[in-house]
Each structure stands twice: as structure tokens, then as C-alpha cells.
């Protein structure tokens, strides 16, 4: 270890000590105007803490019923949307097998329109016979 | 908040305000900017964390002040780029005119470009005392440190925080704090040696 290296930690300690002293002196020696302004800022900050709490409390009081109303409104909207989408999403009428049979059949369309009557007639004829 | 809580918050802020101001002043070099930073820090602490315990306020206040200083520094960086460019232009004009004056035999001469840059970074009124008192030289040297080095140094030396507390206040790792602190000492030593010469 060289003499210079041995000296380094001492220099560092001196520097730190001088810096600490200087900075503390400056902190303690702040001018009156700066101190007054710092005090004014502090008073404003402390006052704002109380106001902040009060504001939060008022907001919470307002939000609780408002929250209930919003939930109810959201539920109503959700139900409406669900019911409307269920109508909208209903599949468009398509020709089922039976319809295709009717459409392609050579029988007269009137026959199918009176089909219920023929069925009733058949049942009654069987009953009579 | 109750009156007692208000009182304890007031007590805490009173105990911390001078050091916070000093740190902000060293970082900004301006009383108005330093007071703005302290104001933002105090308001934020009071409004957001006023309901915390007194033990929490110290670390929170350090952290808020340091991040407010960083925000200020970022904004200034952009502004300074323009200012430096403008000063460069102005300095070029001044240099030319002072050269003309010197050529004309005026011994008062003019500031060179390096001096003009030092003016930009020196802390206002204290500038005139730079070469008269070592105490000012140290403060100027601190002011010229890169922000992270300056923060690490001031939190460790002025506030007396541990490496862990400093890391928490600066929002970085303990390793980074050690590096910034060590570099700060190296830079300060060098700058003060240069000043002595």
C-alpha cells in the first residue's frame, strides 16, 4: 500500500465531515423569509390534510347510494341486452325437412292446408266403423 | 383528521422542511423552485398519507421529495437544452464582441464560454462567492453532481440515512446507492482539489 493510498480514507472522512458540517450549517442558517415561506407552506399542507379527509368522506357518502343505483341500472341494462340479443339471435326460419317435403310434393298445396281436417275425418271414420 | 393528528403532522413537517428545502435548493439552484418542490412534497404527503402513522411519514416524505426533484430535473433537462443552445448563440456573440473589445485595448475583457456555462449551473447569488469561500465551493460542487449521485450523497450525509433507507427513498437498489455514493465522493474530491489549485 502506497502512502497515497493510506491517506485516501482520511481524505474521504474529512470530506464527509466537512460536507456534513457545511450542509447542517446551511440548514440551520436559512434566512427568515425562506423560513416564513416554509411555515406558510406547512400550514397549507396540514390544512389540506383535513380537507382531503373531509372530501374523501363526502365522496364516499355520495358514492355509496350512487354505487347502488349504478349496480341496479347495470343489472336492468344487462337484462334488457340479454333479452334483446336472445330475440335478435333467434335463428332465421329455415325450411325444415317437413317443409321441403311439402314444397317438393306434387300434391296440391290446398291438401296440406286442410291436412288437419283430413286427419280429424280419418279418426272419426275409424271411430264410426 | 383530529387536531392531535394535525399537530403531529405539523411537528413532523417542521422537523423535515429545512433539510428538504436544502436538498431541493442544491438540486435546483433556485429558491423558488426549491420551495415549489417542498410545497408539492408536503401537500402530497398530507393529502395522501396524512392518515398514516408518524413513523411512516419520514420514509414517505423522503421518497416524495426525491421523486419530485427527479420530475423537476427531467423537465429542466429539456428546458436547459434550449437554454444552453440559446446561451451558446449568445456566448458566441459575446465572445466575438469581447474579442473585439480586447483587440481595442480594453483590459476588462469578456467572459469566455466556459465561464458562461458555469453561470448556467451555479446557484444564483452564491455564484459570486464561489472563489472566496470553500464552503460555497462545496455546495457548488454538490450542485454540479449528477442528480442520482447528489441524491445518494445528500440522503446519506445530510439526512444520515442508511444505504437501505436511501435506496427506498431513491427507488433503486442498495447496490446502486453504493455506486452513486462512491462516485459522488470521487467527483467531489476531484472538484474540490481542482478548486484548491
Amino acid at each position: 500500500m502506497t502512502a497515497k493510498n493510506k491517506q485516501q480514507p482520511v481524505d474521504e472522512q474529512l470530506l464527509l465531515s466537512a460536507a456534513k458540517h457545511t450542509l447542517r450549517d446551511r440548514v440551520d442558517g436559512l434566512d427568515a423569509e425562506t423560513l416564513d415561506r416554509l411555515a406558510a407552506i406547512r400550514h397549507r399542507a396540514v390544512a389540506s390534510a383535513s380537507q382531503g379527509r373531509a372530501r374523501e368522506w363526502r365522496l364516499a357518502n355520495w358514492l355509496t347510494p350512487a354505487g347502488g343505483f349504478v349496480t341496479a341500472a347495470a343489472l336492468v341494462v344487462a337484462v334488457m341486452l340479454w333479452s334483446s340479443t336472445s330475440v335478435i339471435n333467434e335463428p332465421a326460419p329455415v325450411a325444415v325437412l317437413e317443409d321441403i317435403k311439402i314444397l317438393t310434393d306434387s300434391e296440391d298445396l290446398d291438401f296440406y292446408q286442410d291436412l288437419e281436417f283430413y286427419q280429424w275425418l280419418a279418426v272419426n271414420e275409424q271411430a264410426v266403423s | 383528521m383530529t387536531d392531535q393528528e394535525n399537530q403531529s403532522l405539523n411537528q413532523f413537517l417542521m422537523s423535515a422542511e429545512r433539510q428538504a428545502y436544502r436538498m431541493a435548493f442544491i438540486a435546483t439552484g433556485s429558491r423558488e423552485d426549491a420551495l415549489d418542490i417542498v410545497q408539492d412534497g408536503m401537500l402530497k404527503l398530507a393529502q395522501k398519507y396524512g392518515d398514516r402513522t408518524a413513523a411512516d411519514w419520514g420514509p414517505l416524505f423522503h421518497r416524495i421529495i426525491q421523486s419530485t426533484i427527479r420530475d423537476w430535473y427531467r423537465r429542466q433537462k429539456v428546458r436547459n437544452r434550449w437554454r444552453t443552445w440559446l446561451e451558446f448563440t449568445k456566448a458566441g456573440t459575446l465572445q466575438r464582441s469581447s474579442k473585439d473589445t480586447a483587440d481595442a485595448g480594453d483590459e476588462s475583457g469578456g467572459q469566455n464560454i466556459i465561464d458562461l456555462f458555469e453561470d448556467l449551473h451555479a446557484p444564483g447569488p452564491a455564484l459570486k462567492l464561489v472563489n472566496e469561500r470553500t464552503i460555497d465551493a462545496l455546495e457548488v460542487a454538490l450542485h454540479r453532481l449528477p442528480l442520482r449521485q447528489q441524491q445518494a450523497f445528500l440522503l446519506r450525509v445530510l439526512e444520515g440515512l442508511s444505504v437501505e433507507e436511501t435506496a427506498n427513498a431513491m427507488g433503486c437498489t442498495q447496490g446502486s446507492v453504493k455506486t452513486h455514493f462512491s462516485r459522488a465522493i470521487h467527483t467531489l474530491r476531484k472538484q474540490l482539489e481542482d478548486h484548491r489549485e
Side-chain angles (χ1 to χ4, degrees), chain A residues 12-29, chain B residues 19 22 26 133-136 138-139 142 153-154 156-159:
Chain A
E12 189 176 312
Q13 285 309 310
L14 276 172
L15 172 71
L16 289 174
S17 164
K20 200 170 181 172
H21 260 84
T22 304
L23 291 166
R24 290 266 154 88
D25 281 353
R26 289 289 166 113
V27 165
D28 294 337
Chain B
Q19 277 157 309
R22 204 68 216 158
I26 290 170
R133 291 161 63 183
T134 315
I135 214 169
D136 290 322
L138 178 64
E139 201 163 69
L142 277 170
F153 189 86
L154 291 175
R156 298 277 284 121
V157 175
L158 177 63
E159 296 283 355

Side-chain angles (χ1 to χ4, degrees), chain B residues 101-168:
Chain B
T101 317
D103 287 347
D106 184 354
E107 283 189 1
S108 63
Q111 280 180 296
N112 66 27
I113 198 158
I114 305 294
D115 291 339
L116 282 166
F117 268 102
E118 283 177 349
D119 284 2
L120 280 177
H121 296 101
L127 176 70
K128 286 174 186 149
L129 303 170
V130 164
N131 294 317
E132 295 168 23
R133 291 161 63 183
T134 315
I135 214 169
D136 290 322
L138 178 64
E139 201 163 69
V140 171
L142 277 170
H143 176 66
R144 285 178 183 163
L145 282 178
L147 184 67
R148 300 302 268 169
Q149 290 181 27
Q150 188 189 83
Q151 287 180 312
F153 189 86
L154 291 175
L155 286 167
R156 298 277 284 121
V157 175
L158 177 63
E159 296 283 355
L161 299 188
S162 67
V163 173
E164 190 186 351
E165 289 165 334
T166 307
N168 186 38

Side-chain angles (χ1 to χ4, degrees), chain A residues 4 7-13 15-56, chain B residues 1-2 6-7 9-11 13-14 17-19 21-22 26 31-32 35-36 38-39 42-43 46-51 126 133 135-136 138-139 142 153-154 157-160 181 184-186 188-189 192-193:
Chain A
K4 197 183 173 188
Q7 227 177 352
Q8 258 184 353
V10 179
D11 283 340
E12 189 176 312
Q13 285 309 310
L15 172 71
L16 289 174
S17 164
K20 200 170 181 172
H21 260 84
T22 304
L23 291 166
R24 290 266 154 88
D25 281 353
R26 289 289 166 113
V27 165
D28 294 337
L30 284 178
D31 62 286
E33 196 196 328
T34 306
L35 289 175
D36 285 348
R37 288 181 67 181
L38 283 172
I41 289 169
R42 174 170 22 97
H43 291 313
R44 260 205 309 278
V46 173
S48 81
S50 304
Q51 285 164 8
R53 295 282 117 205
R55 212 169 23 242
E56 273 175 28
Chain B
M1 274 178 86
T2 64
N6 277 348
Q7 213 172 353
L9 180 62
N10 187 54
Q11 283 292 324
L13 291 175
M14 199 192 284
E17 67 191 15
R18 292 181 185 204
Q19 277 157 309
Y21 167 79
R22 204 68 216 158
I26 290 170
R31 184 166 80 163
E32 294 308 314
L35 285 169
D36 281 349
V38 175
Q39 177 171 270
M42 281 189 182
L43 285 171
Q47 287 168 357
K48 282 196 161 183
Y49 306 106
D51 54 350
R133 291 161 63 183
I135 214 169
D136 290 322
L138 178 64
E139 201 163 69
L142 277 170
F153 189 86
L154 291 175
V157 175
L158 177 63
E159 296 283 355
F181 186 62
I185 292 173
H186 177 80
L188 281 176
R189 193 190 285 153
L192 289 173
E193 278 167 6

